Amino acid sequence: MRLRRVVLTFIAIVPLLTILAYGFFRDARYIPSPIVGRPAPSFTLTLFTGEKLNLSDLRGKAVFVNFWASWCPPCIAEAKQLESTWQELKDRDVVFVGIQIQDVEANGRKFVGEFNITYPNGLDSSGRIAIDYGVWGIPESFFIDPDGRVTYKHVGGVGPSIVIAKVGEARQKIVSAKEGKGEYQPIR
């Protein structure tokens, strides 16, 4: 009787431990985002300028949302390129939004000044926006079409050619089946 309990317990626990081990050791970059192809989670962001930015106010435009932190090397590497891409696209019904996470606001302001970033940026002080978007590493970027639907997600540093291509697809309401991958900094 006792041997039977041990065997049954073993049979019940081994599959559970196997599933947990799989989850802990799986690279999160390969877990697809559940929000791609769905309405973008709404948010209100207080910008470094003190103004409020509501995602819903940007309907009718393609939106590029970039999560970043001042201490993140891949974020530093992409900062100048994102600003130059913004300068190239800003007159084409596109809005870039930078959301600083897991950082100090003063460092974010310094970062924005150092790289002469002119598109709207602000701190997600509660982390709520990052949670709603399922951000697990930075930089992490989302492309949103004029109807407010997420069309593409890119984990890691993103270059101008990808941003331009994916903004163009977002403007045409094309949802990408694959997510982009680049150099990133985990935030776990």
Side-chain angles (χ1 to χ4, degrees), residues 82-91 96 116 118-119:
L82 291 182
E83 175 57 25
S84 66
T85 306
W86 164 243
Q87 291 299 322
E88 184 177 336
L89 298 177
K90 69 181 183 182
D91 297 325
F96 280 29
N116 297 317
T118 60
Y119 55 87

Side-chain angles (χ1 to χ4, degrees), residues 44-111:
T44 299
L45 179 68
T46 302
L47 304 176
F48 293 144
T49 60
E51 299 171 80
K52 300 264 185 194
L53 181 142
N54 292 307
L55 181 63
S56 60
D57 294 341
L58 304 177
R59 283 283 169 98
K61 297 181 178 187
V63 181
F64 169 76
V65 178
N66 177 255
F67 290 89
W68 61 274
S70 64
W71 48 263
C72 156
C75 303
I76 294 167
E78 73 175 6
K80 283 186 178 179
Q81 293 182 342
L82 291 182
E83 175 57 25
S84 66
T85 306
W86 164 243
Q87 291 299 322
E88 184 177 336
L89 298 177
K90 69 181 183 182
D91 297 325
R92 300 185 195 170
D93 277 340
V94 175
V95 177
F96 280 29
V97 178
I99 301 177
Q100 179 194 20
I101 62 172
Q102 296 194 352
D103 205 345
V104 177
E105 185 173 344
N107 293 344
R109 290 175 182 273
K110 182 178 174 187
F111 182 92

Side-chain angles (χ1 to χ4, degrees), residues 117-169:
I117 297 172
T118 60
Y119 55 87
N121 268 277
L123 174 65
D124 178 14
S125 57
S126 69
R128 187 74 240 169
I129 302 170
I131 290 170
D132 289 346
Y133 278 76
V135 173
W136 57 268
I138 49 174
E140 199 163 306
S141 302
F142 295 84
F143 296 76
I144 301 171
D145 71 15
D147 294 336
R149 184 177 55 151
V150 176
T151 59
Y152 180 69
K153 174 186 173 185
H154 190 94
V155 177
V158 60
S161 62
I162 293 173
V163 173
I164 291 168
K166 295 304 176 184
V167 164
E169 289 179 6

